[in-house]
Each structure stands twice: as C-alpha cells, then as structure tokens.
Amino acid sequence: SGHEPAHAGYLGEGMLDGAAAGNVFTSPIADEFEAMIRGTDAGEGVLCVVKNYEGDVMNFDTAAEMAEMEGVEARQVVVDDDVAVEDSLYTSGRRGVAGTILVHKCAGAKAAQGADLDEVARVAEKVVDNVGTMGTALTSCVTPEKGEPTFDLGEDEIELGIGIHGEPGVERTEVMSADEITETLTDRVLEDLALDDGQEVVTIVNGMGGTPLMELYVVNRKLQELMGEHGLETWDAWVGDYMTSLDMMGCSVTVCAVDDELKELLAAPADTPALKR
C-alpha cells in the first residue's frame, strides 16, 4: 500500500484480475498472496507480476508453493525497470517501479485474448526487457506510522534516482529546472536501453503523488523534445499518477520500446478505475 492507484486501481477488464496489498510500503504476506492466487485462478494458472523487492519475491515464492499444493499453477514475472541503482535497501538487483503498469496492460490484454499462461508470461517478460524508468524526489513522503518525513531534504535540494519507498537515489543535488531534471532522468534511461534510431516508444511521466498534473505536463513537453533529438518516435505518451509514493513531490520518466505486438496490446480495451482504453 502507499502506491495508489497501483495496484488495485488496475483491476478490471483487460488488465488485472487480482491485487494483493500489504501494509504501507510493506510486502503482502505469503497467505495474502496465496489467497489472491486461489481467488483469481480459473483453471488455467495464474501469472503474478511482482516488483523486484526482496520481501515481495520471497513471499510470492512461498505462496506459489502453497498454491501448487492445492493444484493451482502460479508463475511470476519480476519487474526491475529502475535504471538508477543496481541494489537498494529493499532489493538485490534493480527495483521495480512505474514500468510495471505497462506489464500489467500488455499481459492483461494478452490474457483477455485467451492466450495460455506461457504466452501471457512471454509478453510480460518482453515488456520487462524493453522498459526503463528513473525518478526524482523534490520532497520526502510522510508515512502514517511515522507522521513525519522519512528522509531529510533541504529546501534547495532534490534527490535523483529515488525509489518509491523513499529509498536513497544516486545523487542529491541543488534544485534544478524541470527541463534539467527531465534531461537527466531521460538520458540515464536511454543510456540503459540503447535504442536504435527510429524506434517507436511509449513514454510515461508518472507523478509521485504530490506533484500537480500541470507540472507533469511541463516534464512531458521536454521529454518529447528529447525523444525527437534521440531519433525516437513516440507512439503514445502517458502523463499522470500511475504509481505513487504517498504524498511525495516528484516524478519518474519511463521509456518502453514497442513493436506491433506490444502496440496492439497497449491499445486493446481496458476498463479499470485508474486506466481506461
């Protein structure tokens, strides 16, 4: 919990059939995962999309074993789209962040077509292999339990490469303009993806919960300029709060390379509280 509308906001036609929520910034326990798996199984197995945090992965592994003892096949795809850091307080390897929503959309659309578990998992992994994200924080978030900022940022400081639980980023720097922030985040993502000229992409400017939509569109304007400068073609651009960090001010930039298959799945109908197509 704390990342709303992720993930319960994406329950519905064409996306997710279930979502397991732990306490604020805490993985669901294995029993909660297992209840979700059993509750969503229609006899063909269940694909679980898990962000790469040690607690989530460990608890899912336990839940999958429990479900399989009941005769339910459970598969997992681990999302690790955060290009900022290779290891953090919560992870071995890269963190899973806003690119997860594109995995939900494509896998959900594939499942809605009637594809089997192998095909749905293949599409999910394809998105993971082609997406990168990096975020920034202008302020800390305030968790209900603590009631005060989880880390200290000076009035003239921002954190680059922040995680969605307030984990440290790669650099603490003086306040930068929106254009400078966007360029810094985008360059890191594109360096990681190493895309060819002419590649079509989907971009996301994701708000962290406390940033006005108007400011996110300021970031998007610069992001689209940068796509053109790097020889990339934006097929679709998403702007809004898709995966937040309570009331943190800041945003993340996501770029995902797409082909005809992924474009078809991203454009397929979806009817959920947080996303409609």
Side-chain angles (χ1 to χ4, degrees), residues 7 10 18 34 41-42 56 77 83 86 137 143 149 151 175 197 202 211 215 218 231 255 259 276:
H7 296 284
Y10 303 110
E34 196 258 343
D41 177 50
D56 296 61
V77 169
V83 306
E86 285 301 320
T143 61
F151 59 91
V175 170
D197 278 0
V202 169
T211 300
E215 294 185 18
V218 170
V255 179
D259 58 8
K276 289 179 170 55

Side-chain angles (χ1 to χ4, degrees), residues 88-147:
S88 76
L89 298 175
Y90 291 76
T91 63
S92 295
R94 304 192 332 181
R95 306 176 289 216
V97 285
T100 309
I101 309 306
L102 298 175
V103 180
H104 290 164
K105 180 67 185 73
C106 291
K110 195 68 178 177
Q113 292 177 354
D116 63 21
L117 187 57
D118 288 340
E119 272 293 279
V120 177
R122 178 190 64 79
V123 161
E125 293 283 9
K126 183 175 180 178
V127 178
V128 173
D129 290 343
N130 286 282
V131 66
T133 301
M134 186 167 168
T136 190
L138 309 182
T139 66
S140 170
C141 58
V142 176
T143 61
E145 185 176 346
K146 192 172 183 184

Side-chain angles (χ1 to χ4, degrees), residues 207-235:
M208 302 305 289
T211 300
L213 192 59
M214 180 179 71
E215 294 185 18
L216 299 181
Y217 275 102
V218 170
V219 172
N220 186 61
R221 172 194 45 77
K222 183 60 176 179
L223 175 59
Q224 300 313 322
E225 287 180 8
L226 293 167
M227 292 299 101
E229 290 174 11
H230 284 86
L232 303 173
E233 299 284 341
T234 301
W235 177 76

Side-chain angles (χ1 to χ4, degrees), residues 7-270:
H7 296 284
Y10 303 110
L11 286 167
E13 177 189 347
M15 286 192 74
L16 301 181
D17 292 316
N23 294 329
V24 171
F25 295 170
T26 305
S27 169
I29 62 173
D31 288 345
E32 291 166 336
F33 268 129
E34 196 258 343
M36 181 197 67
I37 292 167
R38 283 191 291 105
T40 56
D41 177 50
E44 303 296 331
V46 177
L47 180 72
C48 293
V49 180
V50 182
K51 300 191 301 301
N52 188 35
Y53 297 97
E54 288 182 350
D56 296 61
V57 173
M58 178 180 67
N59 288 336
F60 171 80
D61 286 342
T62 302
E65 292 178 9
M66 294 162 62
E68 285 170 4
M69 289 170 63
E70 300 290 329
V72 178
E73 183 179 2
R75 195 92 55 85
Q76 74 168 317
V77 169
V78 178
V79 186
D80 59 351
D81 58 310
D82 188 350
V83 306
V85 292
E86 285 301 320
D87 294 287
S88 76
L89 298 175
Y90 291 76
T91 63
S92 295
R94 304 192 332 181
R95 306 176 289 216
V97 285
T100 309
I101 309 306
L102 298 175
V103 180
H104 290 164
K105 180 67 185 73
C106 291
K110 195 68 178 177
Q113 292 177 354
D116 63 21
L117 187 57
D118 288 340
E119 272 293 279
V120 177
R122 178 190 64 79
V123 161
E125 293 283 9
K126 183 175 180 178
V127 178
V128 173
D129 290 343
N130 286 282
V131 66
T133 301
M134 186 167 168
T136 190
L138 309 182
T139 66
S140 170
C141 58
V142 176
T143 61
E145 185 176 346
K146 192 172 183 184
E148 59 186 40
T150 54
F151 59 91
D152 295 320
L153 266 180
E155 287 188 11
D156 59 346
E157 290 182 319
I158 62 173
E159 184 99 19
L160 296 170
I162 196 77
I164 56 174
H165 307 95
E167 308 100 309
V170 293
E171 181 184 2
R172 184 166 292 193
T173 183
E174 292 182 351
V175 170
M176 300 157 63
S177 71
D179 281 4
E180 290 171 327
I181 291 172
T182 308
E183 191 160 6
T184 300
L185 300 180
T186 305
D187 284 351
R188 285 291 298 271
V189 171
L190 294 182
E191 181 183 337
D192 183 82
L193 293 175
L195 303 177
D196 296 330
D197 278 0
Q199 172 67 52
E200 288 187 291
V201 297
V202 169
T203 63
I204 302 176
V205 175
N206 171 63
M208 302 305 289
T211 300
L213 192 59
M214 180 179 71
E215 294 185 18
L216 299 181
Y217 275 102
V218 170
V219 172
N220 186 61
R221 172 194 45 77
K222 183 60 176 179
L223 175 59
Q224 300 313 322
E225 287 180 8
L226 293 167
M227 292 299 101
E229 290 174 11
H230 284 86
L232 303 173
E233 299 284 341
T234 301
W235 177 76
D236 199 8
W238 299 14
V239 182
D241 285 351
Y242 296 99
M243 184 179 292
T244 63
S245 185
L246 293 171
D247 58 343
M248 180 187 287
M249 293 183 183
C251 70
S252 62
V253 168
T254 298
V255 179
C256 181
V258 295
D259 58 8
D260 288 348
E261 179 183 38
L262 294 185
K263 288 192 293 183
E264 178 188 355
L265 296 172
L266 289 166

